[in-house]
Amino acid sequence: MTSNPFFEPSVLPYELPPFAEIATEHYLPAFERGMAEQLSEVAAITSSGAEPSFANTIAALERSGAVLIRVANVFFNITSADSSATTDAIEAEVSPKLAAHRDAIYLDPQLFARVEALYGRREELGLDPEEARLLERYHIRFVRAGARLDAEGQARLRELNAELAAAATEFGQNILAATNDATVVVESAAELAGLGPATVAAAAENARELGREGAWALRLQNVSNQPVLAELADRDVRQRVMAASLGRGLGDNGALAVRIAALRAERAALLGYSDHAAYTVADQTAKTPAAVEDMLGRLIAPAVANAEREAAELAQAMGGQELRSWDWQYWSEKVRAERFSVDAEALRPYFELERVLRDGVFFAAEQVYGITFQEREDLVGYHPEVRIFEVFDTDGSALGLFLGDFFARPSKRGGAWMNALVSQSRLLGKRPVVVNNLNIVKPPAGEPALLTWDNVRTLFHEFGHALHGLFSDVTYPFFSGTEVPRDFVEFPSQVNEMWMSRPEVLANYARHIETGEPMPTELVERMAEAARFGTGFKTVEYLGATLLDWAWHRVSAPEALADTDAEAFEGEALRKAGLAIDAIPPRYRTGYFAHIFSGGYAAGYYSYIWSEVLDADTVEWFDEGDASIRENGETFRRELLSRGGSVDPLTAFESFRGRAPEIEPLLARRGLLN
């Protein structure tokens, strides 16, 4: 193929991928050319005959792989946001090839010799701080990728990496299929009692798409506790929804999870680590498994105690019925409504998507950071529902593009995430193009999209990731935007959640869809009180998933998983952690735990609460002292958001906070202080 939109840089603003020109037949040829070109570029580095220098080795590596980067950034967003049988087949074919391609670079002995030579005389090279860190990080990456293994070890490592890439792809594709198959169909409108009109209408539309005219279909999200469980009055239907949710993926993905964990354990041992968790955290801010376990250990007992108190209140409200997992959310809402006079469904009219986006998310970013937004309807996204906004800096200069893909659809995986379609880099002269994907239930045509409070939180959260990408101001793409340790990447996004409930921001977007009246002040206060009820449940739910991830990746040898049943392993892991609470299933069970088996969070799901330590401490910082929000925003952007991975993350934190992080603000936030 000689004509392919990935072969040359896009001529669109900010090098936005030319989605109108891209077809599925372009992906494989672009991957093939991209890998071949990058290997040729690496061969030019190693065969040049010139003494290794930063410019001809490290900077040259940073310039390599342009075609591959362009196609990979687009394709892997598509496989998550708008997949098809064709893209699934391409992903299955290309994933092991990409793993082999990465190994071909990082296990190249001549290339590693050049990197190691530079690292050995790094003090003599006159490098600036970002260059010095880049050289250090490349050296670490080569070593962690197996560059020091002997030939036999490297051969086995290549096999393991290819097998893992294929297995992770299969796992992720199984989740989407299983989640769609687990859709709960009901035949009677009475069974939907408690659901709001918009949710009922969406369920009717879902059923029509499935060829079940006259029925209602409740699509599942990729979490254990489905949002509709908070509203469905029919206990039998709630039980059906929970059973469908918890049972997803166990057939195919249970055995696959065991295999992935065993392969990771073997790889960790090959690379000299006791287990995959030790391998992972060695390159994170946590550094050691002991540090992670110490933090988690401080949380489990008080979180369980809080959850037990909440369970007692719910059981009392239920009038003596046994509290089951499918009851918890429903009765929590009942207690909130009675105690705090907060009805979750009655809140929806105050949270219309367009207002939340423009007068909430964008407004907060303008108030804190001074940036502004203009929708670009002349630019085309990868799906008709994608919206594109140009982002302008404080002085009116162009900053980048933000794409929003907000609605759920059968071709989109569950959850919410941010991707970079173009990463900022001064070396390459690129400005950022980032996309946020959410799974908001799409309303019927002509109806407004009314959000839940959790939807609002997710919108602010994911935009925090987007800001991390948009504010990136680094020379080398290695460090751009969210290219930071996994247990640090959630920190900026969690900080951005704080603005959703700030009075000046909330008052600007929380207006009734019909009357335009702002949310009453007393309701805002009751919401804040109600939010504190249920922290025990939320913390235990999260910790269950975290300790499950940890158990799968603390396995020290693949033989330990021989003949393992995934469901039995899961139950034992939760029991040992003190989190085997039937009424509170972990946020993700093994069969649909995409974060760890098909994403990048293996032995890293602890990152959310690890990052929340920094987040809670930062929220306090924003409210301390005499500096304005705008002044603090500039400091936070300059010292942390703009730096990406170009500085040590905790050093960046300390540069604006003035000290190391402290856990007490998090414990207070979650009600875990004695």
Side-chain angles (χ1 to χ4, degrees):
M1 181 179 287
T2 58
S3 178
N4 187 306
F6 292 112
F7 288 173
E8 300 295 335
S10 169
V11 298
L12 294 174
Y14 305 90
E15 295 189 27
L16 174 73
F19 293 113
E21 302 172 19
I22 296 171
T24 52
E25 60 263 27
H26 293 132
Y27 290 124
L28 269 178
F31 273 118
E32 290 165 357
R33 177 179 286 198
M35 287 186 281
E37 283 189 2
Q38 189 169 33
L39 291 180
S40 177
E41 290 163 340
V42 168
I45 294 171
T46 58
S47 63
S48 70
E51 182 181 357
S53 70
F54 182 89
N56 69 22
T57 302
I58 304 301
L61 280 173
E62 286 291 272
R63 294 181 186 277
S64 71
V67 172
L68 183 57
I69 291 167
R70 283 196 292 270
V71 64
N73 285 352
V74 171
F75 179 75
F76 287 108
N77 183 70
I78 290 292
T79 59
S80 296
D82 193 26
S83 67
S84 66
T86 304
T87 59
D88 284 352
I90 294 170
E91 185 181 20
E93 179 178 347
V94 81
S95 290
K97 290 182 178 179
L98 288 171
H101 174 73
R102 186 179 187 278
D103 285 340
I105 294 173
Y106 287 99
L107 299 180
D108 183 323
Q110 292 178 293
L111 185 59
F112 178 57
R114 294 178 72 88
V115 173
E116 186 143 57
L118 288 169
Y119 185 72
R121 55 189 183 88
R122 59 193 179 280
E123 302 297 337
E124 310 164 10
L125 300 177
L127 304 178
D128 67 30
E130 187 176 345
E131 291 170 339
R133 181 166 172 81
L134 183 62
L135 173 57
E136 176 187 35
R137 293 304 306 164
Y138 260 112
H139 186 260
I140 290 171
R141 180 174 287 187
F142 271 89
V143 172
R144 286 175 57 81
R148 286 181 171 160
L149 293 176
D150 60 19
E152 182 181 356
Q154 288 192 0
R156 179 55 183 154
L157 182 63
R158 290 173 192 266
E159 293 172 350
L160 290 170
N161 287 339
E163 288 183 56
L164 280 166
T169 298
E170 183 181 354
F171 191 98
Q173 293 179 357
N174 287 347
I175 290 175
L176 182 58
T179 300
N180 287 334
D181 290 344
T183 298
V184 176
V185 178
V186 299
E187 304 292 344
S188 166
E191 294 178 290
L192 300 179
L195 296 185
T199 307
V200 172
E205 181 62 29
N206 292 341
R208 278 192 291 273
E209 291 175 358
L210 294 174
R212 300 289 297 273
E213 188 78 33
W216 293 264
L218 301 173
R219 293 194 186 279
L220 302 185
Q221 297 187 21
N222 199 43
V223 289
S224 295
N225 284 283
Q226 299 298 313
V228 293
L229 293 173
E231 302 170 4
L232 281 166
D234 190 313
R235 196 182 192 207
D236 290 339
V237 177
R238 292 203 306 270
Q239 184 175 2
R240 285 179 59 197
V241 169
M242 180 59 85
S245 180
L246 297 182
R248 282 173 294 149
L250 285 175
D252 294 328
N253 276 354
L256 201 53
V258 173
R259 179 170 162 239
I260 290 171
L263 292 170
R264 286 172 176 165
E266 182 182 350
R267 183 175 63 182
L270 184 62
L271 293 169
Y273 292 87
S274 58
D275 51 57
H276 185 74
Y279 170 76
T280 295
V281 300
D283 201 37
Q284 305 297 312
T285 63
K287 300 302 182 189
T288 66
V292 176
E293 290 164 359
D294 177 67
M295 191 253 315
L296 296 176
R298 295 182 64 179
L299 300 175
I300 293 173
V304 170
N306 274 12
E308 289 173 345
R309 288 192 292 270
E310 293 165 9
E313 291 188 61
L314 299 183
Q316 184 177 4
M318 292 175 67
Q321 294 184 82
E322 182 182 2
L323 176 66
R324 306 299 296 271
S325 60
W326 50 88
D327 298 317
W328 196 297
Q329 292 304 305
Y330 180 76
W331 285 99
S332 289
E333 289 304 321
K334 290 288 188 186
V335 170
R336 285 192 186 94
E338 179 179 343
R339 182 185 300 177
F340 306 109
S341 299
V342 173
D343 180 346
E345 184 61 28
L347 293 177
R348 282 179 182 261
Y350 290 102
F351 305 136
E352 190 269 325
L353 173 59
E354 192 67 15
R355 283 207 83 120
V356 176
L357 179 66
R358 291 185 180 274
D359 298 338
V361 174
F362 290 173
F363 173 78
E366 182 176 0
Q367 298 301 302
V368 181
Y369 304 109
I371 60 176
T372 55
F373 304 82
Q374 179 180 331
E375 190 154 11
R376 292 291 302 268
E377 295 182 356
D378 57 314
L379 298 177
V380 178
Y382 54 84
H383 187 278
E385 292 173 354
V386 174
R387 299 170 64 185
I388 302 177
F389 299 85
E390 189 168 11
V391 187
F392 298 93
D393 215 334
T394 54
D395 60 359
S397 61
L399 186 62
L401 291 179
F402 167 70
L403 282 66
D405 186 356
F406 301 119
F407 295 118
R409 50 182 172 265
S411 61
K412 182 189 284 190
R413 71 172 172 86
W417 64 95
M418 170 268 194
N419 280 338
L421 297 175
V422 179
S423 295
Q424 179 273 332
S425 164
R426 290 196 296 271
L427 177 74
L428 304 179
K430 295 185 184 296
R431 290 178 294 182
V433 178
V434 301
V435 56
N436 277 174
N437 267 280
L438 278 72
N439 268 279
I440 296 166
V441 175
K442 187 179 180 181
E447 295 292 322
L450 303 181
L451 310 186
T452 65
W453 189 232
D454 279 345
N455 291 154
V456 175
R457 184 180 307 281
T458 302
L459 200 59
F460 275 84
H461 177 98
E462 293 305 327
F463 195 71
H465 286 306
L467 289 173
H468 206 177
L470 288 166
F471 286 153
S472 179
D473 187 19
V474 299
T475 299
Y476 299 100
F478 192 105
F479 294 134
S480 185
T482 56
E483 293 296 327
V484 297
R486 179 63 66 185
D487 60 5
F488 192 80
V489 74
E490 296 298 332
F491 164 48
S493 56
Q494 291 176 179
V495 168
N496 205 58
E497 293 178 23
M498 70 181 286
W499 306 114
M500 66 184 282
S501 54
R502 296 284 290 211
E504 63 272 31
V505 178
L506 187 66
N508 201 59
Y509 74 82
R511 293 179 175 271
H512 199 280
I513 186 66
E514 294 177 357
T515 67
E517 291 296 314
M519 182 181 288
T521 303
E522 62 273 14
L523 180 54
V524 175
E525 294 169 353
R526 294 199 304 271
M527 282 175 57
E529 294 175 358
R532 287 188 282 273
F533 179 79
T535 56
F537 171 89
K538 290 177 181 177
T539 307
V540 168
E541 179 193 45
Y542 166 78
L543 289 174
T546 300
L547 271 298
L548 181 58
D549 167 34
W550 202 245
W552 279 116
H553 295 111
R554 286 292 269 167
V555 174
S556 58
E559 300 79 30
L561 289 170
D563 302 318
T564 293
D565 174 80
E567 194 166 11
F569 180 95
E570 178 179 299
E572 180 63 10
L574 294 173
R575 186 193 65 76
K576 284 184 177 180
L579 293 165
I581 303 171
D582 288 341
I584 311 179
R587 183 167 176 80
Y588 302 100
R589 293 194 68 195
T590 297
Y592 48 92
F593 207 159
H595 282 76
I596 67 169
F597 290 116
S598 61
Y601 282 80
Y605 195 66
Y606 76 89
S607 301
Y608 287 91
I609 207 154
W610 185 273
S611 294
E612 195 180 346
V613 172
L614 308 178
D615 154 36
D617 207 350
T618 301
V619 170
E620 282 200 353
W621 170 79
F622 264 101
D623 289 329
E624 291 174 355
D626 299 325
S628 68
I629 291 294
R630 184 73 184 80
E631 290 170 327
N632 279 342
E634 278 300 308
T635 300
F636 190 58
R637 173 180 175 175
R638 180 183 65 251
E639 299 296 338
L640 192 135
L641 295 178
S642 70
R643 310 296 291 275
S646 66
V647 297
D648 175 77
L650 292 183
T651 299
F653 176 88
E654 292 170 11
S655 69
F656 74 85
R657 191 64 178 102
R659 59 165 172 74
E662 297 177 351
I663 196 174
E664 283 70 23
L666 168 66
L667 299 177
R669 172 191 287 183
R670 287 187 172 250
L672 302 180
L673 287 173
N674 293 330

